Amino acid sequence: MMKTLLIAISLIAVSGAAQAGSKKSFGCGYQSSLGGDAHKAFLKKNAQNGMAEQLLNHFTGIWQFEEEKRICEAYERGEPAEFGCLIDRRDYDAILAKMPKNYGSLSKEDLHNWVLNRKLSLSAEGNRYRDIAFNACVKAGVYKGKLREVN
């Protein structure tokens, strides 16, 4: 599970830092790809155990990829698109909505079993959302590169 968390964190870092030199960037100046004090407070308030913290970090990354996709698609349509660091603009309620139902009352083992019984592993899910966001930004002309296959 720790390997999955490290993969998710690295995906967030790659996503934000890949275009850091561009005017249309999601890059941030934070040392951690998960951000600063707001994310720490979010975890402290909402993670009752280590597994819940890992899931919250995972779904924070998923939310971020979804937001990057939304922004790039808006840009492609010629609509206002606010690029820049997403860490301070996160919708923590939307992130919590991605968690298993009643996750706050579930033990570490129950959460682990929930992860194991999903169709996609956390790392595969993170890769999928990362590639979808990347493709949306390539199609919009925000990123340079080739479209990635999405599994």
Side-chain angles (χ1 to χ4, degrees):
M1 202 42 64
M2 190 56 147
K3 181 180 177 184
T4 301
L5 177 60
L6 292 173
I7 290 170
I9 290 170
S10 68
L11 292 176
I12 295 170
V14 167
S15 172
Q19 299 293 322
S22 168
K23 290 182 182 179
K24 297 177 208 93
S25 168
F26 297 107
C28 298
Y30 287 96
Q31 193 168 17
S32 166
S33 60
L34 290 171
D37 294 336
H39 190 72
K40 288 177 188 172
F42 170 68
L43 292 178
K44 185 174 183 177
K45 179 181 176 184
N46 295 291
Q48 73 276 14
N49 58 51
M51 190 66 210
E53 184 173 329
Q54 287 181 32
L55 284 172
L56 287 167
N57 284 334
H58 171 73
F59 288 120
T60 296
I62 298 298
W63 177 88
Q64 194 148 317
F65 292 134
E66 289 175 331
E67 187 66 4
E68 288 176 16
K69 176 184 180 279
R70 185 194 67 75
I71 291 168
C72 287
E73 288 174 342
Y75 177 81
E76 183 178 30
R77 291 187 302 269
E79 298 171 1
E82 187 178 344
F83 292 92
C85 185
L86 296 175
I87 288 176
D88 295 327
R89 298 187 278 157
R90 287 186 180 137
D91 181 345
Y92 287 109
D93 290 334
I95 294 167
L96 285 172
K98 296 179 180 304
M99 291 290 284
K101 292 192 184 293
N102 302 320
Y103 88 93
S105 63
L106 298 176
S107 69
K108 181 178 178 178
E109 293 77 21
D110 290 337
L111 288 171
H112 182 71
N113 288 333
W114 180 84
V115 169
L116 292 176
N117 289 318
R118 297 176 78 224
K119 291 180 183 177
L120 272 174
S121 71
L122 293 182
S123 63
E125 183 177 47
N127 289 339
R128 183 176 186 281
Y129 278 93
R130 180 205 60 204
D131 291 344
I132 290 169
F134 179 83
N135 288 348
C137 292
V138 167
K139 287 177 185 175
V142 175
Y143 294 170
K144 293 181 181 181
K146 296 179 181 178
L147 295 179
R148 297 175 180 168
E149 183 177 337
V150 176
N151 296 320

